[in-house]
């Protein structure tokens, strides 16, 4: 089992191919997980679950024209569920594709593609490293999303 502790940064522990991550207040989830991929040194992973409380969220959906529609959810909200994957772009940069579900303080649900989420209290996320997989994010004609390609 590997473990990393830095009092000014997220903490994570590794058991086999599983990583469990705690992201602390004021850290953005996408950038934290991208930095983790670089630090640990993996190229492909499944984000299997995530919970916590975040703020300054941006989420949305892709419309019929292949263009993302973005919505803000600024007040702190419960991160009820999070899943997705981590791959590399053709240039080798870590790329996170995350979908999530939040509950606001009135228990209204907001869900979709996560563009941004800043941790307000904590985020706890499970990641499964795919050691034998090669996944690359490549541009798709007529879509804003980078497509997932397997080699």
């Amino acid at each position: 089992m590997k473990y990393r502790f830095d009092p000014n940064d997220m903490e994570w522990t590794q058991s086999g191919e599983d990583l469990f991550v705690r992201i602390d207040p004021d850290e953005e989830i996408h950038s934290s997980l991208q930095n983790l991929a670089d630090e640990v040194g993996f190229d492909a992973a499944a984000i299997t679950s995530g919970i916590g409380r975040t703020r300054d969220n941006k989420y949305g959906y892709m419309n019929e024209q292949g263009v993302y529609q973005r919505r803000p959810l600024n007040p702190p909200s419960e991160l009820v569920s999070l899943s997705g994957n981590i791959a590399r772009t053709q240039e080798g940069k870590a790329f996170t594709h995350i979908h999530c579900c939040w509950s606001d303080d009135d228990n209204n649900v907001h869900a979709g593609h996560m563009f941004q989420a800043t941790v307000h209290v904590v985020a706890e996320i499970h990641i499964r490293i795919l050691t034998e997989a090669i996944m690359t994010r490549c541009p798709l004609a007529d879509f804003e999303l980078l497509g997932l390609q397997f080699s």
Side-chain angles (χ1 to χ4, degrees), residues 48-150:
T48 64
S49 67
I51 57 173
R53 189 160 178 87
T54 62
R55 68 176 186 278
D56 301 326
N57 306 299
K58 288 188 179 50
Y59 72 104
Y61 65 95
M62 182 176 285
N63 68 14
E64 295 79 19
Q65 291 77 39
V67 177
Y68 279 117
Q69 303 301 302
R70 292 165 170 80
R71 295 182 174 151
L73 179 62
N74 293 321
S77 301
E78 285 297 300
L79 179 60
V80 177
S81 177
L82 175 147
S83 61
N85 59 66
I86 303 171
R88 297 280 174 176
T89 64
Q90 292 173 311
E91 296 77 33
K93 183 179 179 209
F95 184 93
T96 45
H97 184 190
I98 301 172
H99 285 215
C100 59
C101 181
W102 288 277
S103 174
D104 63 26
D105 288 350
D106 293 321
N107 291 111
N108 297 307
V109 174
H110 306 264
H113 179 92
M114 177 196 283
F115 295 102
Q116 173 185 309
T118 300
V119 174
H120 188 69
V121 176
V122 70
E124 299 170 346
I125 300 172
H126 175 257
I127 298 169
R128 169 69 54 93
I129 298 172
L130 306 173
T131 56
E132 302 301 318
I134 298 173
M135 301 184 340
T136 307
R137 287 285 173 181
C138 304
L140 292 174
D142 303 322
F143 291 98
E144 193 174 341
L145 171 72
L146 293 178
L148 191 58
Q149 190 174 64
F150 304 100

Side-chain angles (χ1 to χ4, degrees), residues 10 30-40 94:
M10 71 180 156
H30 281 286
S31 59
S32 294
L33 296 180
Q34 291 163 3
N35 290 339
L36 179 68
D38 291 339
E39 181 178 334
V40 175

